[in-house]
Each structure stands twice: as C-alpha cells, then as structure tokens.
Amino acid sequence: MRSGLRSLSTAASAALLLVSCSPMLPERPAPARYPAAPSRTEAPLVGALVDLPIGGGTRDAVLRESADLRRCVAQLTAARVSFRPVPDRVNGATCGLTSGGVLGPDMGTVARMAPGEVEMTCRTALALSIWRRQSLEPAAREILGSDVVQIDHMGAYACRAVNNGAGSTRVSAHSRAEALDFAGVRLRDGRRIAVTGSWSGDEAEARFLRRIRDDACKIFGTVLSPDYNAVHRDHLHLEATDTRFCR
C-alpha cells in the first residue's frame, strides 16, 4: 500500500517538474462576439461621394454617379439617405419626372427637410445630400456656432416657366424636378436664418449664406441667389443639371 502511494507521489512530482520546465504557451484570446468591422479600404466605396469633402471634381462626380438611377440610389442608400424611386411620368409637353423619387430623411445628419418627403430627380437628391453634409451643416457650426435642425425650402417639382412665368416662356428646371429652392435654416439654439433679410452685410448670418452658396456652385450646375435678380431675393435656386452658372 505504502509502495503504491510512494509511486503515485513520485509520478505527480515528475509531472509538476515537467510542466514547470516547459515553455509557457500564449493564452488563446477569447473568441470575438461579433466579426470585426471592415476597414475603409476593405469596404466598398459605394456611397463615399456623400461623405467626401467638396472639391474641384465634385460636380462631375455627381453627374457621373447619377447618370444611372440604380447607381445613384445605391450611393444614397449606402450613405443612409432615404430615397424612394417612383415610376417615370409625363405631365405635359414640357413637364414630367424621369429617374426621380421621394427624398426622405438623411439618417447620417440631424437636420430634417421642411416640408419633408420631397419629390425630385435622384441627381438632385445626391447633390443636395452632399451639399447639406459637406457645406450647410459644417458651415453653421463653424460660423453660427449651432447645429442645423431644420432646412426650409420652397419645393422642387412644379410645372411652370422660369421666374414663375413672369415675363418668361422658358421652361423651369422645376418642371423636371431638377432643382430645389432653399429658403433658410433653423438652428438648435432657436435662431432662424433666412435668405430674406440676412443675405446682405458682413454679419455671421450673411457670411454663412454666402459660404453655402459658393459651395453649392461646386456641386450643382446652376445656382442663383439674391445677387442674380430680385426674383431670387428670398431663396437659393439649386439646380442639378449639366450646366455651369453661379451667381
């Protein structure tokens, strides 16, 4: 009996000695609960346009990415911008909607459009989304010291002539839902900045409006402000077309 106990003790001691002399194995990390998020280079670049800073090639990129409706919608969807395509339609000889839809909330920003659920071309929606993320909201924080919570506008789709038909028979881009009229913003601190009454001068409000007008000229084809004529005294006309005019 004693001999058996002695043998067992000797075996246990030898095992302990073997373990103490063996190199320590690295601890195996616990398995992750969720897979690691892909890096920027691994992720597809679809949707990156809305999150890229405005540059000399932004306007051409908007035209390129919106040339195909599916590609345009993919850009907006990846950027968490709600856009619901609608069937093409013709409402008259010079009025209709092609490659369009309803622009809903941008879940990547705080500000909301008022009125919401705006019907426009996908190209207009893409240009507008870039403008609000890369110009309007950052400029408000920098110049006005507050976040934008609401973007006021006068609509996009309207079957009418330029200048609402006042002395013109030329068809407006609004008749094809290719433009939006921006009226102003409401800030988190309660202030309302409107193109009417805030455009002139060197106050912060005027500098903000002129900054976002100048940035819009790098994104949209045609941008018209109070500097253009009296018809635009109360809004910025933002037209997403293959044109080049900024005033």
Side-chain angles (χ1 to χ4, degrees), residues 11-23:
S13 299
L16 289 173
L17 181 63
L18 181 62
V19 170
S20 64
C21 294
S22 300

Side-chain angles (χ1 to χ4, degrees), residues 10-191:
T10 302
S13 299
L16 289 173
L17 181 63
L18 181 62
V19 170
S20 64
C21 294
S22 300
M24 293 295 292
L25 295 176
E27 292 186 5
R28 181 177 297 174
R33 271 186 86 185
Y34 305 103
S39 69
R40 186 79 178 184
T41 55
E42 293 170 338
L45 293 180
V46 175
L49 184 56
V50 175
D51 291 314
L52 289 177
I54 299 169
T58 301
R59 179 182 165 277
D60 289 339
V62 169
L63 295 174
R64 181 182 66 250
E65 293 300 313
S66 62
D68 178 79
L69 178 59
R70 288 175 298 180
R71 192 169 174 180
C72 181
V73 172
Q75 282 276 2
L76 293 170
T77 301
R80 300 177 64 204
V81 177
S82 173
F83 185 79
R84 187 172 68 255
V86 298
D88 292 353
R89 68 175 183 269
V90 176
N91 297 112
T94 57
C95 186
L97 181 63
T98 302
S99 296
V102 178
L103 178 64
D106 181 344
M107 303 311 294
T109 65
V110 175
R112 294 293 176 258
M113 302 281 289
E117 301 291 307
V118 196
E119 196 169 45
M120 62 182 67
T121 64
C122 189
R123 174 172 292 171
T124 305
L126 181 59
L128 186 64
S129 297
I130 296 170
W131 181 65
R132 64 185 292 179
R133 281 202 196 179
Q134 302 302 324
S135 175
L136 185 141
E137 295 189 19
R141 287 190 290 269
E142 176 189 338
I143 300 174
L144 302 173
S146 185
D147 286 323
V148 174
V149 295
Q150 181 171 301
I151 300 172
D152 297 326
H153 66 91
M154 302 175 180
Y157 185 44
C159 295
R160 61 177 175 81
V162 170
N163 297 339
N164 283 316
S168 175
T169 58
R170 190 157 51 92
V171 177
S172 170
H174 288 286
S175 68
R176 301 181 300 273
E178 294 177 329
L180 179 123
D181 287 341
F182 164 85
V185 297
R186 297 175 190 269
L187 304 179
R188 188 181 299 279
D189 62 15
R191 283 179 291 168

